[in-house]
């Protein structure tokens, strides 16, 4: 079937197209070269509308045990937001931690066609994929969490051959069906189980004697040499600690030219200036980042309201559990693999700390030069639920709106902030990079995030409304694989979406040592640990999309 | 080199977008609505087992919430035989001979399709069907959720009464928990509260409390077990851990004993010296053990506290962990979860937003753990149809009720009088493949099809009913 979108203003930065009026043709789910002579089966007149590729969220907690703990924990979050089933959609509920089906519908209704779960514990990978399997509409993918798992820490402390570390990293990606690897509080989740309460970049793990710096460098190098496109995704040490800017600056320097991604950097950009010993370090951090082209970031913007933080960082989540609102933190030590912490949180614009967090995120957005190295996230649900993205986009695109909002926040935070002096306004091109082209390039999704020939027919059409919040809130049309799935911000057709994975080469010999490890220490057999393709592709639902990896080098 | 799936280098497509999509249209092992199975009345398991013996390795056992996955099970002409690693409960469950069984309407054998059509008719005309029991796997639970939503039903697992003692605490004050592998390798102090762990999980001591080897060198000799309860120390002593301390008290007294322990840990002095059968001196000994532990774990099964307001006991246990964590490391470990209870709660939570006890009467999920308690509803005469799912144990029968009832049960389960429709279903991990979530709510295991009997899964039957509505 040939579909034609005619007359739209196309924003496709990957292909250097900026607001040019042109027709787009989609055939059998893919974008094809213009065929002015052919008679399309369907024509959509999108004259005057803004056309972009479907948006991609490279860091959103949508699936896996900690989200279901959060769902279980917060019936009050759900009762206020019930959604009944319709003839085509399932029932659901939830604001901060929505149910799985609703997560898919709401992302699609906001113009998103792919979402990546950044913190999949390998021990919990099966459930993460089951939950993502129940999240329709969008493509999915997940990052395997490594760095506090005992197998890797043993390898590192025993100074195992680096090739074996690479084999293990690749094996884990295969076994857990991951597209990338994340490290969370490197070594710190494990250290917390040994009663360490803090682990700075060069501090030694009490049992293994290794440092977060070593963990980061080994994992980053392993991924690079394995040819995995997305660099090591790092949730650094000391999340949320006033003064953690120094650790963050040191972490940036520690990368020594290796590609790395620093996630939710807002939570890691805190200074200790001022009466309250809490200040923005966004200027210092963005200054260094602007000079460090091997590092990409996402912000983890805080927006005001009720949410729930959910992280693999059991050490830091335990530490902030006193701030839980409502007061019911959950912390878990998990399977000699990782951990998690789920802490409900209410960010208040009149709170000095929360207001400053809001400011720090925005300063980071506005002072970081290269949109290709910056992704738009709230670290859903940690900084705010994902529905707040349109509001965040307006804050970035509309200086006067930003100034109005600034007036409403805590006065002391206002006094400390340089935000009013930052005049930058994001353009539609910038937004298309931050929410499409950039994440796709970084994750290695060759055929997503752009509208060139051969790309998937994942397309979003917006009304060109000067109120950018309204514009990005309710796209007029969303296509997934060439099918119209959302019209005027409402789901009109339910599709399943695929699961993106990457499969770097590894030496199967690693399984000998792994099998021994599982048999001796685990409560699960190695072969049962692995998630098969058939578990993702159940019946006629789902597909596994293997994205390419580069050649393995040493 | 990597297994099937390969890397980009191997895919080698000339396309500039080097992407390989694998969409499998073939029958997945997790959803097998095989015509042959659906059309057969089940004649007992002897007739399909004529092939030579097959030995299955790394078999996951679905018969309690621990889901041990190191079993070896042989399928031979006379049925299944557990060859390695199973406990007595696993052996009797795997090796149970299935009697012949047929779909039935009002006690009379009928073809599968007729039973499904009648079930669909009953469900379609019910205004408030109650979906109870729910002893199934992930796919079965997914199918039940879809059907319940579509038919305005209520969803509740038979073990919710126990699980809710935990959920109430979680939803009020949160908690800190651990998982099986973590405890196996790390715990040097295991406090078992009120729970006959041996009866619930016959391999818990062998695999979790006193494994021969641990990653951090915690040998059985280095481990101390404290049992708070009566007659529970035998299994701990048999496990040959370094030390067993027993605080003998009734389940109803566990909360008070732990409360006193918390008070002593905080340095309070108390007038009383005896709490139930336990002396203050004994409690002080345990307080010392807690302070000295590297990684202490408080273990309980909520089913052990079967009395009104037992969530207050669970609250004390979670509170003990909370009190100790500022200075040392402690975590809870909750047990139970047999009959797919953890799976049912998890799937219900991610799909509906709530851990069971939801009603879809309005089309949206409404959560009311008191009102949507199916055991209570049946006693109060609420609802107008019971759909009972029991795919593991033949003893997992529905409670007494006057409501018309549909039973999806393992052969051998005696449907109570008044059962309108009975459909025999397979056991996940025995008769068909599946997935089950372990009691720690973190790990899920793949279940194998051991080929015991050609029976449809709960997911097959429920989906067939939904299609026939
Ligand atoms: S302890 Fe439980 S899971 Fe393990 S073999 Fe026995 S019944 Fe099966
Ligand atoms: Zn995150």
């Amino acid at each position: 079937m040939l579909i034609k979108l005619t007359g739209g203003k196309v924003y496709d930065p990957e292909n250097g197209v900026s607001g040019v009026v042109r027709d787009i043709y989609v055939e059998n789910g893919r974008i094809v070269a213009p065929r002015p002579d052919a008679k399309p089966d369907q024509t959509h007149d999108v004259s005057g509308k803004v056309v972009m590729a479907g948006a991609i969220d490279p860091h959103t907690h949508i699936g896996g045990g900690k989200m279901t703990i959060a769902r279980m924990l917060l019936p009050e979050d759900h009762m206020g937001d019930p959604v009944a089933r319709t003839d085509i959609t399932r029932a659901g509920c939830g604001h901060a931690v929505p149910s799985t089906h609703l997560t898919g519908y709401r992302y699609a209704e906001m113009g998103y066609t792919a979402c990546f779960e950044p913190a999949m514990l390998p021990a919990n990978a099966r459930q993460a994929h089951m939950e993502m399997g129940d999240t329709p509409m969008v493509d999915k993918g997940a990052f395997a969490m490594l760095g506090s798992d005992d197998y890797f820490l043993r390898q590192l402390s025993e100074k195992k051959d680096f090739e074996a570390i690479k084999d293990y990293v690749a094996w884990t990606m295969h076994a857990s069906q991951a597209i990338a690897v994340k490290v969370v509080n490197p070594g710190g989740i494990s250290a917390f189980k040994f009663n360490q309460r803090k682990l700075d970049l060069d501090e030694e793990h009490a049992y293994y004697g290794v440092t977060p710096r070593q963990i980061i460098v080994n994992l980053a190098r392993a991924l690079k040499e394995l040819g995995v496109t997305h660099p090591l995704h790092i949730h650094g040490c000391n999340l949320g600690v006033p003064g953690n800017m120094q650790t963050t600056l040191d972490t940036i320097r520690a990368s020594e030219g290796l590609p790395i991604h620093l996630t939710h950097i807002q939570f890691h950009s805190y200074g200790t200036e001022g009466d309250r010993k809490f200040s923005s370090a966004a200027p210092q951090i963005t200054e260094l980042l602007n000079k460090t082209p091997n590092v990409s970031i996402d912000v983890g913007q805080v927006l005001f309201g009720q949410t729930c933080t959910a992280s693999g960082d059991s050490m830091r989540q335990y530490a902030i559990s006193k701030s839980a609102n409502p007061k019911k933190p959950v912390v878990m030590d998990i399977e000699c693999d990782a951990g998690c912490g789920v802490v409900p949180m209410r960010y208040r614009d009149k709170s000095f700390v929360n207001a400053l967090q809001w400011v720090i995120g925005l300063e980071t957005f506005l002072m970081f030069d290269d949109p290709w190295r910056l992704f738009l996230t709230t670290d859903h649900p940690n900084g705010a639920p994902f529905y707040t993205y349109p509001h965040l986009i307006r804050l970035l695109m509309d200086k006067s709106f930003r100034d109005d909002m600034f007036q409403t926040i805590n006065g002391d935070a206002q006094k400390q902030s340089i935000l009013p002096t930052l005049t930058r306004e994001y353009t539609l091109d910038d937004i298309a990079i931050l929410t499409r082209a950039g994440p796709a390039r970084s994750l290695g999704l060759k055929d997503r995030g752009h509208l060139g020939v051969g790309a998937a027919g994942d397309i979003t059409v917006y009304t060109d409304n000067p109120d950018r919040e309204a514009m990005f809130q309710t796209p007029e049309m969303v296509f997934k694989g060439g099918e119209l799935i959302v019209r005027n911000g409402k789901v009109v057709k339910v599709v399943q979406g695929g699961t993106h994975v990457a499969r770097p080469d590894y030496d199967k010999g690693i399984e000998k040592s792994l099998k021994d490890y599982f048999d001796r220490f685990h409560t699960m057999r190695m072969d049962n640990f692995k998630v098969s393709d058939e578990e993702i592709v159940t019946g006629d639902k789902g597909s596994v999309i293997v994205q390419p990896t580069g050649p393995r080098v040493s | 080199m990597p297994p099937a799936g390969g890397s980009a280098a191997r895919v080698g497509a000339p396309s500039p977008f080097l992407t390989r999509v694998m969409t499998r249209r073939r029958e997945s092992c997790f959803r097998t609505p095989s015509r042959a199975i659906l059309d057969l009345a089940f004649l007992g398991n002897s007739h399909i087992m004529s092939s030579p013996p097959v030995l299955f390795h790394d078999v996951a056992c679905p018969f309690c919430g621990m889901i041990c996955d190191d079993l070896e099970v042989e399928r031979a002409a006379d049925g299944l035989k557990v060859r390695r690693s199973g406990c007595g409960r696993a052996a009797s469950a795997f090796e149970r001979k299935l009697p012949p069984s047929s779909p039935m309407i009002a006690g009379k054998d009928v073809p599968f399709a007729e039973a499904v059509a009648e079930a669909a008719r009953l469900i379609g005309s019910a205004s408030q069907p109650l979906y109870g029991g729910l002893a199934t796997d992930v796919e079965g639970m997914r199918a039940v959720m879809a059907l319940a939503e579509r038919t305005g039903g209520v969803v509740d697992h038979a073990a919710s009464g126990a699980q809710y003692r935990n959920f109430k605490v979680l939803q009020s004050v949160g908690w800190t928990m651990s998982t099986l592998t973590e405890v196996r390798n790390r715990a040097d102090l295991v406090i078992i509260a009120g729970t006959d762990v041996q009866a619930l999980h016959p391999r818990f001591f062998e695999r979790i409390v006193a494994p021969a080897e641990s990653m951090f060198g915690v040998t059985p000799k280095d481990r101390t077990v404290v049992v708070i309860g009566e007659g529970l120390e035998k299994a701990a002593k048999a496990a040959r851990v370094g030390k067993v301390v027993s605080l003998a008290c009734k389940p109803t007294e566990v909360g008070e004993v732990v409360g006193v322990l918390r008070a002593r840990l905080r340095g309070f002095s108390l007038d009383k010296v005896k709490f139930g059968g336990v002396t203050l001196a004994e409690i002080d000994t345990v307080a010392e053990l807690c302070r000295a532990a590297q990684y202490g774990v408080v273990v309980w099964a909520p089913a052990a506290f079967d009395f009104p307001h037992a969530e207050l006991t669970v609250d004390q246990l979670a509170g003990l962990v909370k009190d100790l964590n500022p200075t040392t490391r402690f975590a809870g470990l909750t047990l139970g979860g047999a009959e797919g209870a953890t799976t049912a709660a998890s799937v219900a939570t991610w799909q509906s937003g709530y851990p069971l006890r939801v009603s879809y009467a309005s089309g949206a999920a409404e959560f009311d753990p008191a009102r949507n308690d199916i055991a209570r509803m049946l006693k109060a005469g609420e609802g107008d149809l019971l759909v009972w799912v029991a795919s593991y144990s033949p003893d997992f029968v529905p409670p007494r009720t006057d409501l018309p009832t549909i039973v999806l049960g393992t052969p051998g389960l005696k449907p109570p009088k008044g059962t309108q429709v009975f459909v025999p279903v397979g056991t996940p991990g025995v008769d068909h493949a599946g997935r089950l979530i372990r009691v720690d709510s973190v790990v899920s295991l793949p279940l194998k099809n051991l080929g015991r009997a050609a029976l449809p899964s709960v997911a097959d039957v429920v989906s067939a009913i939904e299609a026939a509505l």
Side-chain angles (χ1 to χ4, degrees), chain B residues 31 35 38 112 116-117 120 458-469:
Chain B
R31 206 62 186 274
R35 280 286 112 216
L38 299 188
F112 179 83
V116 164
V458 169
D460 294 338
V461 177
V462 173
S463 306
I465 292 171
E466 199 188 336
L469 276 177

Side-chain angles (χ1 to χ4, degrees), chain A residues 16-28:
Chain A
V17 179
S18 168
V20 179
V21 175
R22 61 168 61 173
D23 296 342
I24 291 176
Y25 293 78
V26 184
E27 189 164 39
N28 301 328

Side-chain angles (χ1 to χ4, degrees), chain B residues 11-28:
Chain B
V11 175
S15 151
F17 308 108
L18 214 55
T19 297
R20 202 171 79 156
V21 181
M22 301 185 302
T23 307
R24 308 243 164 128
R25 295 289 165 196
R26 70 185 172 80
E27 273 179 11
S28 152

Side-chain angles (χ1 to χ4, degrees), chain A residues 115-337:
Chain A
C115 292
F116 291 82
E117 162 60 54
M120 173 173 70
L121 282 50
N124 183 244
R126 178 164 284 110
Q127 184 176 334
H129 284 289
M130 293 190 289
E131 293 184 28
M132 289 189 283
D134 283 342
T135 307
M137 311 303 285
V138 291
D139 285 351
K140 278 79 62 172
F143 308 167
M145 248 171 77
L146 286 175
S148 272
D149 57 305
D150 289 287
Y151 188 86
F152 171 75
L153 291 172
R154 285 158 69 97
Q155 280 186 316
L156 209 55
S157 69
E158 290 164 12
K159 307 216 166 11
K160 280 270 161 27
D161 172 26
F162 187 63
E163 294 305 310
I165 290 180
K166 280 156 66 179
D167 289 331
Y168 170 62
V169 170
W171 180 88
T172 303
M173 291 182 70
H174 284 246
S176 64
Q177 300 274 12
I179 189 169
V181 170
K182 184 189 193 195
V183 63
V184 173
N185 188 350
I189 303 167
S190 166
F192 181 56
K193 298 170 187 173
F194 290 94
N195 204 20
Q196 272 176 291
R197 303 302 167 121
K198 138 177 178 305
L199 196 67
D200 215 331
L201 191 62
D202 292 307
E203 215 168 320
E204 280 189 5
H205 183 290
Y207 182 79
Y208 289 110
V210 301
T211 64
R213 181 190 297 270
Q214 291 170 312
I215 293 168
I216 288 171
V217 170
N218 274 275
L219 287 174
R221 193 179 137 207
L223 289 166
K224 178 162 188 259
E225 293 186 5
L226 286 168
V228 175
T229 310
H230 190 58
L232 179 63
H233 199 93
I234 301 171
H235 156 152
C237 319
N238 291 334
L239 178 139
V241 179
N244 61 13
M245 61 177 283
Q246 198 51 50
T247 310
T248 306
L249 294 169
D250 291 345
T251 306
I252 295 166
R253 294 189 190 104
S255 64
E256 291 171 12
L258 284 165
I260 58 168
H261 178 84
L262 297 179
T263 189
H264 43 66
I265 199 158
Q266 176 277 129
F267 290 109
H268 301 266
S269 303
Y270 302 155
T272 49
E273 279 162 32
D275 296 346
R276 309 213 201 179
K277 303 274 173 257
F278 184 65
S279 58
S280 169
Q284 295 92 317
I285 289 186
T286 50
E287 190 193 350
L288 179 61
L289 284 170
N290 285 335
K291 293 185 290 202
T292 317
N294 58 300
V295 182
S296 60
I297 62 165
D298 65 88
V299 173
Q301 177 67 38
V302 160
L303 294 160
F304 305 116
Q306 178 70 51
T307 192
C308 179
T309 66
S311 167
D313 193 344
S314 48
M315 177 191 271
R316 291 301 311 154
Q317 291 292 91
Y318 178 79
I320 65 157
S321 57
K322 284 185 227 62
S323 325
N325 185 353
K327 287 221 169 309
K328 40 180 180 178
V330 175
V331 175
M332 283 192 80
D333 300 318
I334 295 178
E335 283 304 274
C336 296
D337 186 47

Side-chain angles (χ1 to χ4, degrees), chain B residues 157-354:
Chain B
H157 189 278
S160 284
Q163 293 204 82
Y164 260 90
R165 287 169 208 143
N166 279 354
F167 295 153
K168 279 181 193 160
V169 172
L170 171 72
Q171 293 179 343
S172 320
V173 291
W175 58 22
T176 294
M177 301 298 262
S178 196
T179 67
L180 295 181
T181 298
E182 209 66 71
V183 177
R184 171 184 168 100
N185 287 287
R186 211 175 270 286
D188 57 347
L189 176 63
V190 176
I191 300 175
I192 296 173
T195 303
D196 187 350
V197 175
Q198 184 68 19
L200 275 177
H201 307 288
R203 297 181 64 201
F204 186 75
F205 282 96
E206 165 217 324
R207 298 187 71 220
I208 310 301
V209 179
E213 196 182 9
S214 108
M215 203 157 5
F216 310 113
V218 190
T219 66
K221 283 223 154 7
D222 300 325
R223 304 195 191 225
T224 298
V225 174
V226 174
V227 287
I228 308 177
E230 277 172 336
L232 302 177
E233 70 274 16
K234 214 175 120 215
K237 289 199 167 126
R240 297 185 190 289
V241 291
K243 187 169 175 185
V244 177
V245 176
S246 173
L247 305 183
C249 65
K250 296 188 178 59
T252 47
E253 294 163 346
V254 168
E256 188 188 5
V257 169
V258 174
V260 173
L261 174 59
R262 293 178 68 191
R264 297 301 277 177
L265 283 163
R266 290 174 179 208
F268 288 109
S269 55
L270 297 163
D271 299 340
K272 247 171 105 179
V273 289
K274 202 132 195 244
F275 308 88
V278 183
T279 66
L280 195 57
E282 288 175 302
I283 292 174
D284 285 345
T285 314
V286 175
E288 267 326 296
L289 292 170
C290 289
R291 285 200 190 94
Q294 302 288 315
Y295 192 86
V297 177
V298 180
V299 175
W300 76 93
F305 304 118
D306 192 9
F307 47 85
H309 302 295
E311 67 272 15
L312 296 175
T313 302
V314 175
D315 182 56
Q316 287 289 1
L317 298 170
L320 174 62
V321 170
K322 188 178 166 195
D323 289 353
L324 287 159
N325 261 324
T327 50
T328 180
R329 279 312 320 276
F330 257 77
L333 182 70
T334 173
L335 297 179
E339 303 286 353
T342 313
T343 300
S346 298
V347 177
T349 302
W350 80 59
Q351 289 206 355
S352 76
Y354 306 108

